[in-house]
């Protein structure tokens, strides 16, 4: 680990500027270790991504990112404090230091990446915006939505995408705006609007919360690109690398066939990629001030990307979302992690 002894050695060698930089970069890591838990900003309740179960335990693909970071840094995937945030307050909470990482179905955009003092660390789910309508309306295409009342959540990219789509198609709509996803789906169910729009994954999650899910359908059109991923503050490259490579470790583990079930057996693998991943050939956590078993801890306690996807949003979950573009690059999808070497 990068400790005071290391700093003293650097200082004695005349590397004072490097010491200052290392100290600044290590703040989030040091604070997390001292606290004994990762402060994780999650949604206000979106099944499959971040939502508490009946026992109050947070579950979801976004939750697993924070659990992976905790496993890498603290050796304990359960060492996470979850802070529920709505779409409007999420960035302020991260900027202010209330949370260490925002893992909350958040779209990576130019403005968010360059003007808010934040860095996106990767893509956990490639998504796109769609529409959900009541089946009895007889609507089968988004082209038929001219003049519709549309429920939408404030503080999201969906507001801008919606305006762009209707303007480009010379159509009009009446926006019915809510602060939270719970209020948005509640407005739709109460008949405040004809249509509910959000990312298609969120629509799938919201649909199963309806009193009669089968009475609504998600239209086939996808009108935007919504790469969703974790976010950290700029200016702390050490923490940025930790969060980024925690996700990459899960993706690499899937590609190499390493799972939570076989990870102990895989520690004796002769495949050099697996040996490096599991800390059996060199310490590739050293550059992040982590122990050699950082990725082993993630995989053994959280699982690889496929395990997280399948149990939270995939065919083993109530959402039953197919991998599609979220498949690995080796299977024709977009998911791809740089190598550990």
């Amino acid at each position: 680990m990068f400790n005071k002894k290391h700093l003293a050695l650097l200082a004695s060698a005349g590397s004072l500027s490097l010491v200052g930089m290392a100290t600044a970069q290590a703040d989030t890591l040091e604070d997390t270790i001292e606290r004994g838990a990762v402060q994780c900003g999650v949604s206000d309740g979106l099944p499959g991504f971040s939502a508490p179960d009946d026992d109050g335990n947070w579950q979801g693909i976004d939750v697993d990112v924070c659990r992976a970071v905790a496993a890498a840094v603290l050796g304990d995937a359960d060492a996470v404090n979850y802070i529920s945030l709505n779409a409007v307050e999420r960035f302020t909470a991260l900027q202010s230091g209330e949370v260490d990482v925002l893992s909350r179905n958040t779209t990576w955009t130019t403005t968010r990446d360059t003007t808010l003092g934040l860095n996106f660390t990767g893509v956990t789910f490639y998504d796109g915006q769609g529409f959900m309508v009541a089946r009895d309306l007889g609507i089968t295409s988004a082209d038929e939505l001219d003049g519709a009342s549309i429920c939408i959540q404030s503080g999201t990219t969906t507001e801008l995408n919606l305006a762009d789509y209707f303007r480009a198609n010379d159509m009009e709509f009446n926006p019915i705006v809510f602060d939270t996803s719970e209020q948005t789906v509640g407005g739709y169910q109460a008949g405040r609007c004809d249509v509910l729009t959000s990312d298609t994954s969120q629509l799938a999650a919201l649909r199963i919360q309806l009193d009669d899910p089968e009475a609504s359908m998600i239209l086939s059109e996808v009108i935007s690109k919504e790469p969703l991923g974790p976010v950290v503050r700029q200016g702390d490259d050490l923490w940025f690398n930790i969060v980024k490579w925690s996700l990459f470790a899960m993706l690499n583990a899937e590609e190499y066939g390493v799972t939570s079930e076989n990870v102990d057996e895989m520690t004796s693998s002769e495949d050099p990629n697996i040996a490096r991943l599991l800390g059996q050939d060199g310490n590739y956590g050293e550059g992040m001030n982590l122990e050699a078993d950082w990725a082993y801890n993630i995989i053994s306690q959280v699982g690889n990307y496929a395990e997280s996807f399948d149990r939270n949003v995939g065919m083993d979950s109530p959402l039953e979302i197919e991998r599609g573009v979220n498949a690995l690059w080796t299977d024709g999808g977009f998911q791809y992690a740089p190598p550990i070497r």
Side-chain angles (χ1 to χ4, degrees), residues 260-274:
S260 60
E261 297 295 327
N262 68 15
V263 64
D264 288 324
E265 176 186 345
M266 286 292 194
T267 56
S268 59
S269 171
E270 296 183 2
D271 185 328
N273 292 306
I274 296 175

Side-chain angles (χ1 to χ4, degrees), residues 160 199 224:
L160 300 176
D199 296 346
S224 70

Side-chain angles (χ1 to χ4, degrees), residues 10-335:
L10 285 171
S12 65
S15 303
L16 295 177
S17 60
L18 180 58
V19 171
M21 181 171 61
T23 302
Q25 290 180 340
D27 285 348
T28 308
L29 176 59
E30 290 177 355
D31 291 346
T32 299
I33 293 173
E34 183 176 354
R35 186 190 308 117
V38 175
Q39 298 286 99
C40 177
V42 292
S43 76
D44 43 9
L46 185 66
F49 288 82
S50 52
D53 62 17
D54 294 338
D55 297 322
N57 299 311
W58 283 88
Q59 307 285 339
I61 195 169
D62 287 338
V63 168
D64 280 349
V65 170
C66 292
R67 296 185 68 240
V69 173
V73 172
L74 301 169
D76 182 2
D78 294 329
V80 183
N81 296 326
Y82 297 102
I83 294 87
S84 178
L85 303 168
N86 65 35
V88 175
E89 63 194 8
R90 55 183 163 173
F91 297 121
T92 302
L94 181 58
Q95 293 163 334
S96 67
E98 180 182 353
V99 298
D100 303 320
V101 56
L102 179 68
S103 188
R104 189 206 173 282
N105 54 285
T106 299
T107 301
W108 190 345
T109 70
T110 307
T111 301
R112 291 173 176 178
D113 201 33
T114 63
T115 67
L116 300 182
L118 306 175
N119 278 330
F120 283 78
T121 65
V123 178
T124 51
F125 193 94
Y126 288 94
D127 209 346
Q129 186 173 334
F131 301 98
M132 181 166 66
V133 300
R135 291 185 187 274
D136 60 14
L137 290 179
I139 294 174
T140 59
S141 171
D143 295 338
E144 303 170 53
L145 297 180
D146 191 14
S149 296
I150 301 181
C151 285
I152 188 170
Q153 186 179 350
S154 64
T156 63
T157 55
T158 53
E159 289 182 283
L160 300 176
N161 295 334
L162 188 63
D164 288 347
Y165 178 78
F166 274 77
R167 183 169 57 248
N169 288 277
D170 195 26
M171 298 191 301
E172 296 182 354
F173 70 99
N174 177 31
I176 310 297
V177 183
F178 299 90
D179 290 332
T180 68
S181 60
E182 183 180 8
Q183 292 171 350
T184 307
V185 72
Y188 171 78
Q189 183 157 262
R192 295 276 306 278
C193 55
D194 306 309
V195 184
L196 174 60
T197 187
S198 187
D199 296 346
T200 57
S201 63
Q202 295 183 50
L203 292 178
L206 296 174
R207 180 174 172 271
I208 64 174
Q209 298 181 65
L210 298 174
D211 293 339
D212 184 8
E214 292 304 317
S216 292
M217 61 181 290
I218 299 173
L219 301 179
S220 61
E221 289 91 346
V222 176
I223 67 170
S224 70
K225 295 184 294 184
E226 306 293 329
L228 311 178
V231 196
V232 297
R233 288 179 293 278
Q234 288 182 4
D236 192 337
D237 286 351
L238 184 63
W239 187 250
F240 171 68
N241 286 336
I242 289 171
V243 176
K244 175 173 57 179
W245 280 96
S246 293
L247 172 59
F248 288 162
M250 295 175 71
L251 286 166
N252 276 316
E254 179 185 358
E255 181 175 343
Y256 302 146
V258 184
T259 71
S260 60
E261 297 295 327
N262 68 15
V263 64
D264 288 324
E265 176 186 345
M266 286 292 194
T267 56
S268 59
S269 171
E270 296 183 2
D271 185 328
N273 292 306
I274 296 175
R276 287 191 292 267
L277 174 68
L278 299 181
Q280 302 302 304
D281 179 9
N283 180 2
Y284 290 89
E286 186 175 13
M288 298 178 284
N289 297 346
L290 302 178
E291 302 296 336
D293 62 354
W294 65 280
Y296 168 87
N297 289 335
I298 293 173
I299 301 160
S300 62
Q301 298 180 42
V302 183
N304 65 28
Y305 180 80
E307 291 178 278
S308 177
F309 187 100
D310 290 345
R311 68 171 171 259
N312 290 307
V313 300
M315 301 309 291
D316 294 338
S317 77
L319 274 65
E320 297 185 338
I321 298 174
E322 296 183 355
R323 282 292 292 265
V325 296
N326 286 292
L328 291 181
W329 67 287
T330 50
D331 296 324
F334 293 166
Q335 289 292 2

